[in-house]
Amino acid sequence: DAKTTQPPSMDCAEGRAANLPCNHSTISGNEYVYWYRQIHSQGPQYIIHGLKNNETNEMASLIITEDRKSSTLILPHATLRDTAVYYCIVRVRGNRDDKIIFGKGTRLHILP
Amino acid sequence: DTGVSQNPRHKITKRGQNVTFRCDPISEHNRLYWYRQTLGQGPEFLTYFQNEAQLEKSRLLSDRFSAERPKGSFSTLEIQRTEQGDSAMYLCASSIAYEQYFGPGTRLTVT
């Protein structure tokens, strides 16, 4: 089973920041938080990952709480092209057994 | 395009027929993964290769499924005697370090 809990769906107005929450209360010390997204009829796309510190790249920001039991993915200025299913995943990096275990994710609707 | 490619993109077959899908990973990626995704669910892991060695198979991979990666480059996934329950999107991903990069998938419909 997936080790994360996400809301099934969310709406966000175009141009606003989209904040997607994720709970991972059983995360282990060596597990990273990863985010992928899947636009309709495409394969999942890597967005960002982090261990303890907040991370930012050209796509998004990742805020991880100090106890690491939850995180938030932030899309700073959402566009219609950000409509997708967003998956929050916890996994160990570099393990021999490094398959990704996906949950059902959050379906994000960007509203015009 | 230097991403992961999969062929065909769509396949419709009759129950009982055999089908084969192909995945071409990103050049020099030594790890290759297969996942299956049904409607409304996240992708589920099927199997993975490091170079030509198949290192793990999910219990989802019944005896009717076989995957190969003969020269450590492209991979094939074959399903024998297809059943309607095999209808799904079959996704391939590759990696060289830690991040997996996914292809567009092959959508299989079994009628």
Side-chain angles (χ1 to χ4, degrees), chain A residues 45-104:
Chain A
Q45 176 191 21
Y46 165 79
I47 301 174
I48 198 167
H49 74 274
L51 182 63
K52 287 191 264 192
N53 300 321
N54 299 338
E55 303 287 344
T56 295
N57 63 20
E58 64 279 3
M59 289 183 69
S61 295
L62 174 60
I63 309 298
I64 303 174
T65 58
E66 194 168 343
D67 64 7
R68 303 210 321 125
K69 292 186 176 181
S70 65
S71 61
T72 301
L73 179 75
I74 301 173
L75 308 177
H77 304 287
T79 71
L80 296 177
R81 288 177 293 182
D82 293 320
T83 292
V85 178
Y86 287 77
Y87 297 100
C88 171
I89 295 147
V90 295
R91 59 191 286 246
V92 177
R93 277 185 106 204
N95 232 15
R96 188 174 181 84
D97 173 19
D98 63 356
K99 58 184 176 286
I100 297 176
I101 299 176
F102 290 88
K104 293 188 177 181

Side-chain angles (χ1 to χ4, degrees), chain B residues 16-85:
Chain B
Q17 298 293 306
N18 299 343
V19 294
T20 300
F21 310 139
R22 176 177 170 127
C23 171
D24 287 272
I26 295 171
S27 179
E28 298 180 355
H29 278 197
N30 61 344
R31 295 186 177 188
L32 187 148
Y33 309 78
W34 285 99
Y35 292 81
R36 182 177 72 182
Q37 185 174 26
T38 54
L39 201 61
Q41 305 295 316
E44 296 173 290
F45 169 78
L46 291 178
T47 189
Y48 115 82
F49 293 84
Q50 180 154 316
N51 300 313
E52 63 274 10
Q54 189 173 16
L55 296 185
E56 186 175 352
K57 292 194 288 187
S58 161
R59 57 184 170 80
L60 292 175
L61 214 65
S62 76
D63 291 345
R64 297 184 297 105
F65 288 69
S66 63
E68 294 183 342
R69 194 182 182 198
K71 295 183 181 178
S73 57
F74 73 92
S75 175
T76 58
L77 177 68
E78 181 184 15
I79 309 174
Q80 296 183 326
R81 304 181 304 281
T82 52
E83 302 173 356
Q84 287 187 319

